[in-house]
């Protein structure tokens, strides 16, 4: 009997112990570790889908929009919710395929996918979203996604670069400042089961993306347009392989314009060769030739006892290390000339002799000045894939001689412009500036940039001598084609044999360049024009590049409000001045030219005493400025935007939306099969593209609204 009681006691104790262990385990799982397990389970069920952020805007110096992001709606599918709904998949597929212009079979496959979330179609037309929402299909939702838009088309394309389909910067400033422009992406969070299917009746979490910061560039878009036009004209006229133009403010280092031709369209970059995406002013190097003599002259005058009126003798050749360096006019040598005349005449033998004299006094003086001026190293300007250039590895006589005349070295145009700004400004180091300021979403300045360093490189006395020598080059020597009527202008020509990719130099290919500066009494703007391999065998910097430099410089000076000296203009007229009588100004009403054949339009304008100016290529006028009915002075320029007839038939002329309310603008664009993106509230104050511009069907018009 006792044994039976002992067994019962043991069994009872064992049961109690087991119960306590189970109870402890339950408390541990449910209470002590419960929260942790619940969070783990939830995390295992949650799936996140990234939603692109809105990239920051890029503006020019006057806050004209150069690059922006517009929101397009994208259609998302949650297949689990469709399966649980009262609608048949076939019914939803048929409706959506018609609305989205997709194959019904393709839509059906996505609606019946095993995935918890599927993009049905991204960035759909503006008017399609409300139609889809009207059906209120379960499992079909619309989300906003950003897409990049360049309101001014190809303007400054190589500077801006472009962004890819996934909202990432791929070249130019879009790549350089991608981390700031891209902002913070949003996300869609959904709950799924172990088979990755959405759990019906669960809540979808949507975290909105945050827009990136904005950039304000130093670029003047009006000047940029003018520079690109001149570059394109020069490319075609000279039948060159490439043309590069850069314009910089000497006092601040701000780049006012830079362009390379051929260029590309950032909205359609995939259809252009990758080489056209590069910014040649920053990312590619070239042999500067005689324009580099400006740096050598500044170093010699500043660091030695050389004076600008010291005499040299040119007999057509200079011998260095067993090699002969000839003057471009070796067949009729310059003979006796001062150092200033040697610069103006671009005389190689004199500069070789002066460089070797300098080395005899101080072996590293020239190289030290080149380095101080920024050559052989990247500028402080932030820009992706910026080139550093190439300088000699040692100071053997042959390298000292060739570098002094701009051969055997490689520089970028932006390095050269900044160095010229340094030696011709006030002698303090100037660094190039492209991004003038970084702005937050509300336009407040986060960071400002300046090109002035305050570091003295060239003494004031040398600066004045360099100004005198550059002006002499334009008034009395090789740079006369770079003169601008009404302005004191300085410059330097350059004509260098083009290096061959196989080594050595081409015998029949040259790089012709010109550095122009104005006004010389207070240098404010420097322009660099580089023509790569023009077809003319007699091409030169003074003949080929200088005239374009003069046109670009004159436009830049006018944009900066620097007026010409009219007394100087009158004084240089060929005919003697007589007492003038004020004549009556004749005004002409601009006719309607849009839709006209270019020859008819040109003939009409000329007969009316107006001057046609053409933008683009083609045989049909699609836009004009000034608009029809505008009163202008006789002889005024009327800009005609041209396109080919086939493109005209496939595109739409953007209507004038100014003064309309948003719903009115929306209706007007809808009739033209165009989308709208709205900034602000009230009535339309501005629009991009401008009224009368030719735009592809389905493209977006950005309207900026304000109070009446």
């Amino acid at each position: 009997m006792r044994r039976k009681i002992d067994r019962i006691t043991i069994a009872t104790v064992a049961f109690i112990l087991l119960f306590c262990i189970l109870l402890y385990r339950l408390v541990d799982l449910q209470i002590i570790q419960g929260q942790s397990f619940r969070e783990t389970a939830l995390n295992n069920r949650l799936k996140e889908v990234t939603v692109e952020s809105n990239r920051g805007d890029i503006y020019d110096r006057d806050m004209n929009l150069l690059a922006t992001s517009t929101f397009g709606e994208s259609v998302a599918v949650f297949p689990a919710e469709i399966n649980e709904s009262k609608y048949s998949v076939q019914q939803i597929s048929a409706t959506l395929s018609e609305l989205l212009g997709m194959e019904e079979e393709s839509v059906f496959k996505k609606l019946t996918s095993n995935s918890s979330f599927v993009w049905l179609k991204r960035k759909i037309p503006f008017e399609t979203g409300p139609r889809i929402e009207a059906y209120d299909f379960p499992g079909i939702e619309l989300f906003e996604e950003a897409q990049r838009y360049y309101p001014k088309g190809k303007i400054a394309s190589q500077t801006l670069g472009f962004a890819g389909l996934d909202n990432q910067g791929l070249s130019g400033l879009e790549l350089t400042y991608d981390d700031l422009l891209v902002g913070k992406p949003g996300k869609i969070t959904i709950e799924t089961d172990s088979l990755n299917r959405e759990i019906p009746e669960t809540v979808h979490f949507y975290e909105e993306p945050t827009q990136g910061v904005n950039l304000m560039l130093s670029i003047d878009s009006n000047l940029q347009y003018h520079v690109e036009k001149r570059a394109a004209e020069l490319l075609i006229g000279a039948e060159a392989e490439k043309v590069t133009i850069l314009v910089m403010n000497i006092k601040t280092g701000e780049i006012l314009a830079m362009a390379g031709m051929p260029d590309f369209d950032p909205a359609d970059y995939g259809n252009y060769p990758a080489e056209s995406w590069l910014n040649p002013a920053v990312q590619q190097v070239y042999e500067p030739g005689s324009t580099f003599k400006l740096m050598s002259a500044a170093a010699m005058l500043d660091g030695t006892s050389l004076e600008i009126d010291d005499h040299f003798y040119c007999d057509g050749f200079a011998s260095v290390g067993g090699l002969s360096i000839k003057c471009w006019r070796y067949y009729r040598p310059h003979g006796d000339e001062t150092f200033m005349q040697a610069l103006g005449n671009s005389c190689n033998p004199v500069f070789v002799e002066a460089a070797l004299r300098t080395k005899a006094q101080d072996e590293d003086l020239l190289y030290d000045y080149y380095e101080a001026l920024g050559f052989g190293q990247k500028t402080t300007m932030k820009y992706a894939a910026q080139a550093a250039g190439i300088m000699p590895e040692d100071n053997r006589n042959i390298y000292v001689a060739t570098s002094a005349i701009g051969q055997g070295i490689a520089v970028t145009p932006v390095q050269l412009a900044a160095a010229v700004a340094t030696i011709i400004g006030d002698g303090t180091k100037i660094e190039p500036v492209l991004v003038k300021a970084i702005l937050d979403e509300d336009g407040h300045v986060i960071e400002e940039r300046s090109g002035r360093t305050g570091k003295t490189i060239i003494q004031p006395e040398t600066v004045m001598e360099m100004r005198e020598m550059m002006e002499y080059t334009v008034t009395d020597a090789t740079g006369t084609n770079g003169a601008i009527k009404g302005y004191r202008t300085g410059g330097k020509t350059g004509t260098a044999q083009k290096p061959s990719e196989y080594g050595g130099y081409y015998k029949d290919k040259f790089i012709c360049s010109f550095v122009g500066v104005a006004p010389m009494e207070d240098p404010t703007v420097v322009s660099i024009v580089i023509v790569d391999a023009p077809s003319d065998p007699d091409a030169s910097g003074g003949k080929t590049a200088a005239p374009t430099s003069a046109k670009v410089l004159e436009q830049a000076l006018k944009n900066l409000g620097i007026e010409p000296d009219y007394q100087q203009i009158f004084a240089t007229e060929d005919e003697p001045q007589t007492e003038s009588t004020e004549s009556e100004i004749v005004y002409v009403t601009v006719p309607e030219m849009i839709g006209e054949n270019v020859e008819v339009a040109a003939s009409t304008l000329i007969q009316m005493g107006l001057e046609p100016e053409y933008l683009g290529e083609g045989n049909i006028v699609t836009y004009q400025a000034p608009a029809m009915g505008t009163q202008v002075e006789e002889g005024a320029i009327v800009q005609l935007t041209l396109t080919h007839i086939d493109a005209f038939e496939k595109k739409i002329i953007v209507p004038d939306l100014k003064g309309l309310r948003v719903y009115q603008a929306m209706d007007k664009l809808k009739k033209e099969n165009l989308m709208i993106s709205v900034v602000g509230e009230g009535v339309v104050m501005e629009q991009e593209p401008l009224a009368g511009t030719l735009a592809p069907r389905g493209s977006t018009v950005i309207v900026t609204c304000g109070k009446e």
Side-chain angles (χ1 to χ4, degrees):
M1 184 71 178
R2 181 165 179 84
R3 288 181 179 178
K4 185 175 180 180
I5 293 172
D6 290 342
R7 286 198 297 271
I8 292 173
T9 301
I10 292 171
T12 301
V13 171
F15 176 78
I16 292 171
L17 288 173
L18 180 61
F19 177 78
C20 290
I21 292 171
L22 290 174
L23 181 62
Y24 171 78
R25 185 58 177 161
L26 286 173
V27 171
D28 180 55
L29 292 175
Q30 292 293 327
I31 298 175
I32 299 175
Q33 299 188 61
Q35 184 61 31
S36 174
F37 284 127
R38 280 191 292 273
E39 290 176 358
T40 301
L42 180 61
N43 289 334
N44 289 336
R45 298 198 309 273
L46 293 179
K47 179 179 179 180
E48 292 184 353
V49 178
T50 300
V51 179
E52 296 172 354
S53 58
N54 192 15
R55 289 179 72 84
D57 295 331
I58 302 178
Y59 300 92
D60 78 348
R61 65 185 302 109
D62 297 316
M63 294 303 288
N64 295 310
L65 198 59
L66 298 177
T68 188
S69 293
T70 59
F71 277 113
E73 291 183 304
S74 295
V75 186
V77 176
F78 299 90
E81 291 189 15
I82 296 175
N83 294 333
E84 300 292 329
S85 73
K86 62 181 180 180
Y87 296 94
S88 69
V89 179
Q90 290 80 5
Q91 179 185 358
I92 299 176
S93 297
T95 303
L96 292 179
S97 63
E98 181 179 353
L99 291 173
L100 297 172
M102 298 174 63
E103 293 290 335
E104 187 173 342
E105 182 180 354
S106 173
V107 176
F108 182 84
K109 286 182 179 179
K110 291 189 176 183
L111 297 187
T112 56
S113 169
N114 288 328
S115 300
S116 57
F117 174 92
V118 180
W119 285 117
L120 182 56
K121 190 170 185 178
R122 300 176 72 177
K123 298 169 184 176
I124 62 176
F126 177 78
E127 69 275 5
T128 305
R131 295 176 185 173
I132 294 175
E133 285 184 325
Y135 283 94
D136 197 25
F137 288 133
I140 306 297
E141 293 190 27
L142 297 175
F143 294 96
E144 285 189 334
E145 284 198 294
Q147 51 188 345
R148 208 58 167 160
Y149 174 63
Y150 301 91
K152 294 188 179 294
K154 296 170 70 174
I155 296 295
S157 60
Q158 291 169 331
T159 298
L160 297 173
F162 55 86
L165 293 175
D166 293 323
N167 207 33
Q168 80 280 31
L170 295 178
S171 77
L173 290 175
E174 294 277 26
L175 173 60
T176 305
Y177 287 88
D178 187 58
D179 56 336
L180 297 177
L181 289 168
V182 74
K184 181 182 177 183
K187 60 184 177 181
I188 303 168
T189 306
I190 55 179
E191 290 189 52
T192 60
D193 61 16
S194 60
L195 297 178
N196 203 32
R197 297 173 302 190
E198 182 193 2
I199 302 173
E201 306 302 326
T202 56
V203 178
H204 303 149
F205 300 99
Y206 175 53
E207 182 180 326
E208 291 189 7
T210 303
Q211 178 177 319
V213 302
N214 303 319
L215 304 181
M216 182 176 73
L217 308 187
S218 59
I219 295 291
D220 178 340
S221 58
N222 292 324
L223 180 62
Q224 179 72 27
Y225 163 76
H226 182 84
V227 165
E228 291 187 12
K229 179 183 175 183
R230 296 301 181 190
E233 290 173 349
L234 186 54
L235 180 75
I236 296 170
E239 296 181 357
E241 294 180 5
K242 185 168 59 181
V243 170
T244 305
I245 301 178
L246 184 144
V247 184
M248 177 183 286
N249 186 318
I250 291 173
K251 298 179 182 299
T252 64
E254 293 175 359
I255 298 173
L256 303 176
M258 60 179 169
M261 288 292 164
D263 59 357
F264 73 100
D265 185 349
D268 191 27
Y269 62 88
N271 289 322
Y272 290 80
E275 185 180 358
S276 69
W277 303 345
L278 295 175
N279 185 343
V282 183
Q283 297 175 313
Q284 294 180 316
V285 298
Y286 77 109
E287 279 202 14
S290 293
T291 56
F292 198 76
K293 288 173 182 170
L294 292 172
M295 315 309 137
S296 303
M300 295 172 192
L301 291 170
D302 199 66
T304 73
S305 58
L306 180 66
E307 300 290 343
I308 64 174
D309 55 0
D310 284 354
H311 282 262
F312 292 81
Y313 190 85
C314 168
D315 61 5
F317 297 89
S319 296
V320 185
L323 297 176
S324 180
I325 297 176
K326 67 180 181 181
C327 180
W328 67 272
R329 214 178 75 173
Y330 64 93
Y331 52 86
R332 186 164 56 88
H334 293 107
D336 181 74
E337 56 186 340
T338 64
F339 189 62
M340 181 168 73
Q341 290 172 329
L343 180 71
N345 294 332
S346 202
C347 183
N348 284 344
V350 168
F351 268 79
V352 169
E353 181 182 347
L356 295 178
R357 286 186 190 178
T358 300
K359 185 194 173 189
Q361 295 180 39
D362 185 337
E363 284 198 353
D364 297 320
L365 186 142
L366 285 176
Y367 287 0
D368 288 345
Y369 270 90
Y370 297 157
E371 182 180 354
L373 288 169
F375 296 104
Q377 56 200 301
K378 295 181 181 180
T379 71
T380 59
M381 180 182 75
K382 187 178 178 183
Y383 202 92
Q386 180 179 175
I390 302 170
M391 297 303 290
E393 295 181 359
D394 61 55
N395 64 351
R396 280 182 285 173
N397 284 354
I398 185 62
Y399 293 144
V400 171
T402 55
S403 62
I405 60 175
Q407 293 182 1
I409 61 174
V411 305
T412 65
V414 73
Q415 285 176 336
L416 191 66
V420 171
T422 298
I423 67 173
I424 207 74
D426 61 6
T428 59
K429 181 68 183 299
I430 294 293
E431 289 285 356
V433 173
L434 181 56
V435 175
K436 189 175 172 69
I438 298 175
L439 314 173
D440 64 16
E441 188 175 354
D442 298 321
H444 300 132
V445 176
I446 299 174
E447 180 183 343
E448 286 186 289
R449 305 286 173 86
S450 172
R452 299 197 63 84
T453 65
K455 181 181 179 182
T456 300
I457 305 297
I458 305 293
Q459 298 303 314
E461 298 81 5
T462 306
V463 169
M464 299 307 294
E465 290 175 330
M466 289 304 302
R467 293 181 185 181
E468 183 180 351
M469 294 172 75
M470 289 188 72
E471 187 169 9
Y472 169 81
T473 301
V474 172
T475 57
D476 295 282
T478 58
T480 54
N481 286 331
I484 310 171
K485 185 176 290 189
Y487 295 95
R488 288 175 55 193
T489 313
K492 182 68 192 81
T493 57
T495 309
Q497 283 183 290
K498 183 175 180 178
S500 170
E501 55 269 31
Y502 306 108
Y505 293 85
Y506 288 106
K507 292 184 178 180
D508 57 349
K509 288 187 178 183
F510 297 88
I511 297 176
C512 302
S513 58
F514 188 82
V515 175
V517 174
M520 293 312 294
E521 64 271 20
D522 183 22
T524 305
V525 184
V526 57
S527 73
I528 296 179
V529 177
I530 303 164
V531 188
D532 190 335
S535 63
D536 183 359
D538 296 323
S540 66
K543 174 184 175 182
T544 310
T548 297
S549 172
K551 294 174 184 177
V552 167
L553 262 183
E554 184 175 17
Q555 186 65 44
L557 292 168
K558 289 180 178 178
N559 284 18
L560 290 172
I562 301 174
E563 296 294 332
D565 183 344
Y566 291 100
Q567 290 184 349
Q568 182 183 355
I569 294 177
F570 296 149
T572 56
E573 293 292 344
D574 294 331
E575 296 182 2
Q577 298 299 306
T578 58
E579 187 176 347
S580 61
T581 56
E582 186 176 346
S583 59
E584 183 180 353
I585 299 175
V586 178
Y587 289 94
V588 180
T589 302
V590 178
E592 173 66 78
M593 292 286 101
I594 295 177
E596 291 284 358
N597 178 278
V598 61
E599 294 180 358
V600 174
S603 176
T604 302
L605 291 174
I606 292 171
Q607 289 178 11
M608 298 181 68
L610 300 173
E611 181 182 346
E613 184 177 82
Y614 308 108
L615 307 180
E617 297 179 357
N619 51 7
I620 295 293
V621 179
T622 57
Y623 185 65
Q624 67 180 78
M628 177 191 70
T630 305
Q631 292 282 323
V632 298
E633 291 185 22
E634 188 177 32
I637 294 175
V638 177
Q639 291 183 337
L640 303 177
T641 301
L642 307 180
T643 191
H644 294 285
I645 185 65
D646 53 348
F648 182 72
E649 293 172 347
K650 294 177 183 178
K651 295 186 179 181
I652 298 168
I653 297 177
V654 177
D656 188 0
L657 306 176
K658 288 186 178 180
L660 300 181
R661 296 196 175 275
V662 172
Y663 72 89
Q664 294 173 321
M666 189 182 301
D667 290 341
K668 198 167 186 178
L669 291 176
K670 186 176 181 181
K671 292 177 183 178
E672 301 292 345
N673 198 17
L674 294 170
M675 297 189 293
I676 190 172
S677 178
V678 182
V679 178
E681 298 178 349
V683 299
V684 177
M685 309 295 287
E686 297 179 7
Q687 67 179 90
E688 287 283 350
L690 298 174
T693 304
L694 207 61
R697 296 179 185 275
S699 60
T700 301
V701 177
I702 302 175
V703 297
T704 303
C705 300
K707 295 181 180 180
E708 296 181 74

